[in-house]
Amino acid sequence: MATKAVYISDVPNLDQVPETAASFSLYATRLPISVDVSKSVDNSPKFTVIGHRGHGMNILHSTDRRMKAFKENSILSFNNAANHPIDYIEFDVQVTKDDVAIIFHDDFILSQEHGSVVEKRVTDLTMKEFFAYGPQREVSMEGKALARKVNGTVVGWQVESDDHSCTLQEAFEKVNTRLGFNIELKFDDHRVYEQDHLIHALQVVLKVVSEHANDRPIIFSSFQPDAALLMKKLQQTYPVYFLTNGGTEVYEDVRRNSLDEARKLAVEGGLDGIVSEVKGIFGNPSAAREIKEANLGLLTYGKLNNIPETVHVQQLMGVDGVIVDLVEEIARAVEETKKTKGYGNGEVKSEETEKGLIELSFLLNLISKVIQH
């Protein structure tokens, strides 16, 4: 992939990218399926592309139509993502009051009713109550109007192609079987959870996966350190990754505050890898190298992953894959890189490697300036 100029003035508004940018110990009933996202079928390095919340998260205040083309975390979004050469879709799973694993990102669900905003915690709702929001399965039915907070302001959740919410089981039943699932185990950052509560919620999710996953590749991930550790103890079939902001934000739980802490947690807890905010990787490349040296997988997420050049840098750095919003553009750019550089087929020649190192040095320097800006 030929590198292109990235202007620092363009980067702060990363929700607008130019159009040209290119076995469960409790439930196991069959032999474990080993999934290594860093290897392709022929055992050569593979760079994995994962669709964020399906075809991309919704950024309702963006003027970029691609950021609100399909309702995030919906069957519609998932299957549209499958139209592009990606490997996985990522989505958020929570457990309702009556023990149903549903797919929804926010901790609270907002609705505009009778001129006022009503806010309820998702996990305090039953499945029936949850499904009363947004588009309904029956065309003749009208759900409560969904809303979302954007920079403190409540706005209507308007997208070009809307869809009703779904359960985890429905995703297994209705989403293109070629796609792997990166299941984020979603918990509130501002709540302290008892271990029994975490185990119960994880068991609900595991039961669905055990009964419906079949041969579909699965990755579990969570920002909640104890949830990630418990999921690894509860099952050994699927890899578990720890999600971290990589030091870009500060939390009371020190395990969440740096890549070094994330690596320590993953190694000591027997986890399989780390998913970091991409700025954390660019801000601390040596930590990324240490993660790989610890035989941990490394994925990234964040708005910078919507720019082909920053994704290309991560390929050069040895990152295993990226979670992206602009699924079509980034998938296409990664495919072009594979064709021109030979990534993923074990045919990278020495002169290409040397050129790649030069590109990496230049681009890392550029990106560090972007982050500082």
Side-chain angles (χ1 to χ4, degrees), residues 146-158:
L146 271 177
R148 201 174 208 176
K149 282 186 178 178
V150 177
N151 299 326
T153 301
V154 177
V155 299
W157 201 323
Q158 303 297 324

Side-chain angles (χ1 to χ4, degrees), residues 62-99:
S62 174
T63 58
D64 190 333
R65 295 177 61 183
R66 293 172 296 176
M67 295 299 181
K68 41 197 173 184
F70 304 102
K71 179 68 167 293
E72 68 177 40
N73 278 332
S74 69
I75 301 296
L76 178 67
S77 181
F78 299 157
N79 280 328
N80 272 278
N83 293 329
H84 308 291
I86 65 172
D87 307 282
Y88 287 75
I89 50 172
E90 180 273 351
F91 52 76
D92 311 271
V93 171
Q94 304 186 56
V95 175
T96 62
K97 185 178 180 180
D98 54 346
D99 291 340

Side-chain angles (χ1 to χ4, degrees), residues 156-184:
W157 201 323
Q158 303 297 324
V159 293
E160 291 193 2
S161 297
D162 214 337
D163 195 16
H164 58 73
S165 297
C166 64
T167 65
L168 177 59
Q169 179 176 332
E170 286 179 301
F172 278 114
E173 294 172 341
K174 298 178 180 180
V175 174
N176 191 310
T177 56
R178 81 163 188 81
L179 285 180
F181 285 176
N182 174 188
I183 301 174
E184 180 182 338

